[in-house]
Amino acid sequence: MKLTTTKLATTKLMIAEKPSVARDIAGVIGGVKRHDGYLETNTHIITWALGHLVTLADAHDYDAKYKTWRMEDLPIVPRPFRLKVIEKTKAQYQIVASLLKRAEEVVVATDAGREGQLIYELIALSAGYKGPTKRLWLSSMTPTAIRDALKQLKDNRVYQHLFFAGFARAQADWLTGINATRAMTTQAGTLLPIGRVQTPTLAMIVQRDSAIKQFTPQPFFELQAQFVHANGSYKGTWMNRKRETRIDQREAAHRLLEKLCGQSGTIHDVEEKIVHEQPPQLFDLTSLQRTANQKYGFTAERTLQLAQSLYEKHKVLTYPRTDSRYLSDDIVPTLRRRLLAASTQFPYLRALLPAQIRTAKRVVNATKVTDHHAILPTEQPVSSALRPDEQKIYELVSKQTLAALLEPAEWATTTIVTAIMDELFKTNGRVLVKPGWKAVFPAHHDTRATAPTDEPETEPTLPAVTNGDSVQVAGIHVAEKETKPPAHFTEASLLSAMEKAGREVNDEILAEALKARGLGTPATRAAVLEKLKRDGYIQVVKKQLIATEKGKSLIGSIRVDALKSPELTGDWEHRLAQIEAGHYDVRQFIHEITEFTHSVVESIGQFTVHVVPDAQTASASLGQCPLCGGQVVETKKSFACANWKSHGCAFCVWKQISGHNMSAAQVKDLLHKKRTRPLKFKSKAGKPFQARILLNPDGTTTFEFLNETDCSATRSKRPSAKSVPRR
């Protein structure tokens, strides 16, 4: 490919991840000239990757026999893994590779994280570039941030462990995904895709749905009383000596009622104190996605798209794909400017901005900032109109940032313990006396990711009472209640469960400590949820995530518990994070994943998998795909495997072969009997001939001619099953 760039004194090549980022960087450098697939500036040639340009080779790229899925070929363990250029972005790869060949120095400007580093390194490996390389690390896309980052380029070798972790993740996904999927599919006779993160996530939803379905409500009872004191009335609930209010037996509740009816009461104890409620933490991507789902019903993917637009296009948010909720000390001096910039869009925030920014450990902790700090507004005000949904995300982040920097809220809490005879009743009340950070949020709209949505701002004020005061019992009754099933997952609660590898943890700080062993990463969780929806394994019903029959069938068919375990996969993510930090050997990790893959294939091979096929596909099926075991269905131009979209299966039989229109019945014969009856065809010269079509073990098809004349006349003909036509 011919490049028309002017020869620079030193050919410095910069590789961004997207064209928009390349344009922003080029605009800051200046002297921009546009070319096909790259830009030329005063100091650099800047090109882009369009996401991944290079990926791991497919199984059949190692050996053609892997085009057919057979249990005896498993596990497939490449040694070493090979790379291949992605076909749909091949033209851009060729431009980047050509530029790399003449580059004297490269600046890596892909997204500043594990996947961004992987994108560049795979391109460099494929193109054979081994020259000097520096790293541009951007946490926001404002011109000031870009200029500052350009002055602070580091040697790319500083970030090699990011690449090691990303490449290890890709290999682990390949090993477990391809081998487990092929093993399960071969045993089931229908496609059963297994994903390292996707399958445990689906399993959590299926298990939650099952727990709800199997739940049997259990009745319980409470004894409630209405008390009248000289200074006012209040309600109380009976409690035992362990301060438990639940009574399991109806008879026991009514015995208490009979015992206490007609009696008067005495104030047994009064406790009044000021309770401080700490501000929320800053947002990382997952907590932002949870909050946006709770408050606005946004999907995780939608929130990520909006945050990415605010980062790249409007430049008013910092890098959103972060897993940190903390800042490093160098960011603190910029906080006031960031909030002032946000207040131009949301003027009410300016009045709440404190004279002095406080920096608690919940906000500033450099040891908990890895690739990127928490999501913040940038110092650049909004310069172009935001869409309504973008405005909502920008406001959420701005408010959360301000709230995290304000004083704790103060509650005046009162607990009254009232005695009737020797039985105790408790009453709780509280009043917000100092709003602190809560002033940022209107009443009943707490946007903290971990806060209950029905938490009252103020409970009824209780009358002033003292120990020993007498009270009248205006009424007492037994309240009948019953236990409630666990709630269906929403995207907000599922993201939380994925972050904590399936463990139910409500404490914000403890949850933070468990994030290192989460299921997936903040940047990948949204895509996992969308894939589960797209493939028909889950559906959304009134914000609730419900497993479909297809999803239940898939999880029910997997007898290898490790494939469904959130904690196991979370442990893999933990080790990947250790690789990223340089504390774990990537070769050891791949060895362990390989051993795990061997054990999984061996376990799957010990039983037959029975799955209820998708009703729509099953009813339209002509037979089983010889390559992957999926269902062969009719399309516009061919009879092809239904798994061509979800898994890229390439089996098809064209509807028109050598002048003959194939029927569904003939394709059924081919799939079930491995041959058709004699059919009439025409050669290229227009000469008629008769032949059968045979189905080979590798999924290809050939003619079986009925006489030698037909054979020689059509020797070059072979009906193809190598590629799937456009549908």
Side-chain angles (χ1 to χ4, degrees):
M1 183 171 294
K2 186 177 179 181
L3 300 175
T4 58
T5 56
T6 303
K7 177 66 176 177
L8 299 169
T10 301
T11 307
K12 294 183 178 180
L13 175 66
M14 186 179 295
I15 302 177
E17 192 163 320
K18 306 177 188 73
S20 60
V21 175
R23 288 193 295 269
D24 288 338
I25 297 172
V28 170
I29 295 174
V32 182
K33 296 179 182 177
R34 300 181 183 275
H35 301 274
D36 182 19
Y38 65 98
L39 304 170
E40 187 177 343
T41 72
N42 292 331
T43 58
H44 291 79
I45 295 169
I46 306 179
T47 188
W48 47 85
L50 297 175
H52 282 277
L53 298 181
V54 178
T55 188
L56 295 179
D58 294 321
H60 62 259
D61 293 323
Y62 295 92
D63 194 320
K65 72 177 182 180
Y66 294 140
K67 288 183 178 180
T68 303
W69 294 19
R70 289 185 292 260
M71 195 71 187
E72 56 266 30
D73 291 333
L74 303 179
I76 304 168
V77 181
R79 300 183 189 277
F81 277 88
R82 297 181 198 165
L83 302 178
K84 65 183 292 186
V85 176
I86 297 172
E87 191 62 33
K88 68 179 181 180
T89 52
K90 189 174 183 179
Q92 183 62 21
Y93 168 79
Q94 290 173 338
I95 291 172
V96 177
S98 297
L99 290 167
L100 279 168
K101 285 179 182 176
R102 57 176 297 196
E104 296 175 28
E105 180 183 272
V106 168
V107 176
V108 183
T110 50
D111 281 1
R114 184 194 294 175
E115 284 303 304
Q117 194 70 26
L118 179 65
I119 285 171
Y120 164 72
E121 299 288 355
L122 293 187
I123 293 170
L125 281 172
S126 179
Y129 177 76
K130 297 179 181 178
T133 311
K134 293 181 179 177
R135 191 43 157 119
L136 178 71
W137 197 260
L138 289 170
S139 287
S140 63
M141 291 300 300
T142 66
T144 300
I146 293 172
R147 277 192 290 270
D148 290 344
L150 286 168
K151 295 173 186 175
Q152 300 175 43
L153 298 179
K154 293 185 179 180
D155 192 308
N156 188 56
R157 286 173 293 188
V158 173
Y159 300 94
Q160 282 301 287
H161 288 293
L162 277 179
F163 163 59
F164 295 155
F167 200 34
R169 190 273 311 153
Q171 292 174 72
D173 284 343
W174 198 103
L175 288 167
T176 57
I178 283 182
N179 285 292
T181 295
R182 287 185 174 225
M184 290 291 294
T185 297
T186 302
Q187 295 296 84
T190 188
L191 180 67
L192 292 180
I194 306 297
R196 184 177 59 88
V197 175
Q198 176 182 313
T199 302
T201 301
L202 175 59
M204 287 196 294
I205 298 172
V206 170
Q207 290 161 7
R208 176 64 61 87
D209 290 352
S210 177
I212 293 169
K213 185 177 181 180
Q214 296 174 11
F215 181 82
T216 302
Q218 297 297 321
F220 69 94
F221 308 88
E222 289 182 350
L223 193 61
Q224 299 177 349
Q226 179 76 33
F227 298 110
V228 178
H229 183 272
N231 293 330
S233 61
Y234 62 96
K235 295 178 181 179
T237 303
W238 174 89
M239 65 179 180
N240 61 21
R241 299 303 170 182
K242 296 180 181 179
R243 304 183 76 85
E244 299 166 339
T245 62
R246 175 170 162 169
I247 305 170
D248 292 329
Q249 300 298 323
R250 182 192 302 271
E251 295 76 10
H254 281 280
R255 280 197 301 271
L256 270 173
L257 178 63
E258 291 173 7
K259 171 184 174 181
L260 302 178
C261 271
Q263 303 295 322
S264 61
T266 304
I267 301 298
H268 181 269
D269 187 35
V270 181
E271 183 181 84
E272 295 178 321
K273 60 182 179 180
I274 296 295
V275 176
H276 294 86
E277 186 177 357
Q278 294 299 319
Q281 289 186 282
L282 298 168
F283 279 138
D284 62 0
L285 176 58
T286 302
S287 56
L288 175 60
Q289 288 169 321
R290 287 200 305 261
T291 303
N293 180 255
Q294 291 169 335
K295 190 170 177 63
Y296 300 119
F298 293 166
T299 65
E301 182 181 51
R302 178 64 176 155
T303 299
L304 177 56
Q305 289 171 345
L306 293 168
Q308 196 73 22
S309 175
L310 291 165
Y311 164 66
E312 286 185 10
K313 179 182 176 182
H314 298 286
K315 302 170 181 55
V316 295
L317 283 192
T318 58
Y319 185 74
R321 297 169 185 259
T322 177
D323 63 354
S324 177
R325 303 186 73 174
Y326 296 89
L327 306 176
S328 50
D329 295 278
D330 61 311
I331 300 297
V332 175
T334 71
L335 291 174
R336 174 173 288 278
R337 294 194 296 274
R338 294 172 187 273
L339 290 168
L340 286 172
S343 69
T344 62
Q345 193 75 5
F346 313 111
Y348 66 89
L349 295 181
R350 183 182 289 266
L352 299 171
L353 191 60
Q356 184 174 357
I357 299 292
R358 61 186 292 274
T359 54
K361 287 186 178 180
R362 296 169 60 87
V363 175
V364 181
N365 189 337
T367 63
K368 295 192 176 183
V369 178
T370 51
D371 298 341
H372 296 279
H373 55 67
I375 304 173
L376 298 173
T378 66
E379 299 169 62
Q380 179 169 306
V382 172
S383 57
S384 59
L386 301 180
R387 290 174 291 163
D389 287 353
E390 290 174 333
Q391 176 96 347
K392 290 173 181 176
I393 296 300
Y394 184 38
E395 185 173 20
L396 277 183
V397 174
S398 299
K399 290 167 69 173
Q400 191 85 355
T401 302
L402 177 56
L405 300 172
L406 295 179
E407 296 290 334
E410 290 186 8
W411 297 90
T413 67
T414 302
T415 301
I416 300 174
V417 178
T418 307
I420 306 178
M421 301 178 64
D422 57 347
E423 302 295 341
L424 302 179
F425 290 72
K426 70 175 180 179
T427 307
N428 294 320
R430 68 173 187 168
V431 176
L432 186 64
V433 294
K434 185 178 178 182
W437 64 269
K438 280 185 168 288
V440 177
F441 304 109
H444 309 299
H445 288 282
D446 192 339
T447 62
R448 289 171 300 153
T450 56
T453 56
D454 58 351
E455 178 185 322
E457 286 294 309
T458 303
E459 295 176 357
T461 304
L462 300 178
V465 300
T466 57
N467 285 351
D469 287 354
S470 296
V471 295
Q472 296 299 315
V473 181
I476 186 168
H477 70 281
V478 173
E480 297 191 14
K481 300 186 176 184
E482 63 180 21
T483 55
K484 295 181 179 180
H488 283 288
F489 278 119
T490 62
E491 286 211 12
S493 60
L494 184 62
L495 286 168
S496 180
M498 291 175 74
E499 187 176 47
K500 291 165 282 198
R503 285 163 284 188
E504 296 287 344
V505 180
N506 293 320
D507 181 82
E508 197 173 44
I509 299 298
L510 180 56
E512 182 73 22
L514 289 173
K515 282 170 62 173
R517 295 181 183 271
L519 184 56
T521 66
T524 60
R525 288 171 190 141
V528 169
L529 298 189
E530 290 306 310
K531 190 172 191 312
L532 288 172
K533 295 176 199 173
R534 188 170 59 249
D535 291 348
Y537 293 113
I538 63 174
Q539 58 184 333
V540 183
V541 181
K542 296 180 179 179
K543 292 188 179 182
Q544 297 176 329
L545 302 179
I546 312 292
T548 62
E549 290 302 317
K550 182 179 179 182
K552 294 174 187 175
S553 179
L554 173 60
I555 295 303
S557 69
I558 301 173
R559 301 187 193 178
V560 181
D561 289 340
L563 293 176
K564 301 183 286 187
S565 169
E567 291 192 3
L568 175 69
T569 306
D571 184 59
W572 293 359
E573 292 287 354
H574 174 62
R575 283 184 277 169
L576 287 170
Q578 287 183 308
I579 292 171
E580 194 171 303
H583 301 148
Y584 198 76
D585 183 53
V586 65
R587 291 166 296 187
Q588 177 64 23
F589 175 74
I590 295 301
H591 172 74
E592 291 168 0
I593 297 298
T594 302
E595 291 296 308
F596 172 76
T597 302
H598 276 276
S599 67
V600 165
V601 170
E602 183 179 353
S603 298
I604 294 173
Q606 294 174 0
F607 53 83
T608 301
V609 178
H610 298 284
V611 179
V612 179
D614 179 82
Q616 186 175 355
T617 303
S619 63
S621 175
L622 301 176
Q624 189 173 334
C625 172
L627 292 182
C628 73
Q631 304 300 317
V632 175
V633 296
E634 185 173 356
T635 72
K636 187 176 181 180
K637 296 181 180 179
S638 71
F639 301 93
C641 180
N643 297 332
W644 74 274
K645 245 183 185 179
S646 61
H647 206 68
C649 182
F651 177 78
C652 80
V653 177
W654 296 99
K655 281 190 172 180
Q656 200 169 70
I657 300 174
S658 296
H660 175 77
N661 293 321
M662 295 291 291
S663 69
Q666 291 163 0
V667 174
K668 275 188 177 181
D669 281 347
L670 182 64
L671 294 170
H672 292 280
K673 300 175 183 178
K674 310 305 178 189
R675 62 170 54 199
T676 65
R677 62 179 176 79
L679 303 174
K680 294 180 180 180
F681 301 93
K682 282 186 179 180
S683 68
K684 284 184 178 180
K687 183 178 179 181
F689 67 93
Q690 278 196 318
R692 291 185 177 91
I693 296 178
L694 305 183
L695 180 61
N696 299 320
D698 64 356
T700 59
T701 54
T702 52
F703 283 130
E704 181 185 67
F705 299 99
L706 301 188
N707 60 65
E708 186 62 31
T709 304
D710 289 341
C711 178
S712 57
T714 59
R715 193 172 300 278
S716 63
K717 287 189 172 293
R718 182 186 190 197
S720 173
K722 286 187 175 180
S723 61
V724 180
R726 289 179 177 269
R727 292 164 168 81

